[in-house]
Amino acid sequence: MLKLKKIHHIAIICSDYELSKWFYVDVLGFTVAREVFREARNSYKLDLEVGGQYQIELFSFPDPALRPSRPEAAGLRHLAFEVDDIDEAVFHLNELNVSTESIRVDEFTGKRFTFFQDPDGLPLELYEV
């Protein structure tokens, strides 16, 4: 049996590196652990920490392919982030002109959640714990 311990990181390819860097660092508040330019690939790699743990790699590549469609496309459906206060998080996003869907309640857990998008339309979720 394969003994996986936990998810190490999530990799995201963006179409506008500076815009996505601003979004993930200044809007979502992730901490930059390392930023490198990989000259051979004409690509940036930005390592981001979420809650003090290295978890997200943000890549830029020249002319990346677009995501096929909304969350119902085959593959990764969305990326969810845990928050203590969803109302505060939604207010913060809306103040920075990031649109959020209406807050809903998970019918199985009774927890509140909502969705929004990154600059490339990647579906992101806030889940209140």
Side-chain angles (χ1 to χ4, degrees), residues 3-111:
K3 296 181 180 178
L4 302 177
K5 293 169 49 177
K6 63 182 179 178
I7 294 173
H8 184 266
H9 69 270
I10 297 156
I12 299 171
I13 297 173
C14 62
S15 63
D16 182 330
Y17 179 73
E18 290 302 325
L19 178 61
S20 291
K21 178 181 176 183
W22 169 81
F23 180 81
Y24 284 97
V25 174
D26 296 332
V27 174
L28 298 186
F30 298 164
T31 303
V32 175
R34 176 179 36 233
E35 179 178 33
V36 296
F37 180 73
R38 302 172 317 158
E39 192 171 336
R41 293 180 161 208
N42 192 24
S43 168
Y44 279 96
K45 179 179 183 281
L46 183 66
D47 296 335
L48 299 169
E49 293 181 355
V50 182
Q53 294 184 339
Y54 162 66
Q55 293 184 336
I56 298 202
E57 293 178 338
L58 183 65
F59 290 96
S60 70
F61 289 105
D63 303 315
L66 297 178
R67 180 178 168 82
S69 71
R70 300 284 299 154
E72 289 71 27
L76 180 67
R77 182 176 173 133
H78 63 265
L79 177 58
F81 300 104
E82 181 179 305
V83 295
D84 291 326
D85 184 337
I86 199 163
D87 295 308
E88 180 182 310
V90 165
F91 178 81
H92 172 77
L93 290 173
N94 294 163
E95 283 288 299
L96 294 171
N97 295 317
V98 176
S99 297
T100 56
E101 294 182 2
S102 299
I103 295 173
R104 295 183 263 168
V105 176
D106 186 312
E107 63 182 298
F108 301 109
T109 66
K111 303 289 186 176

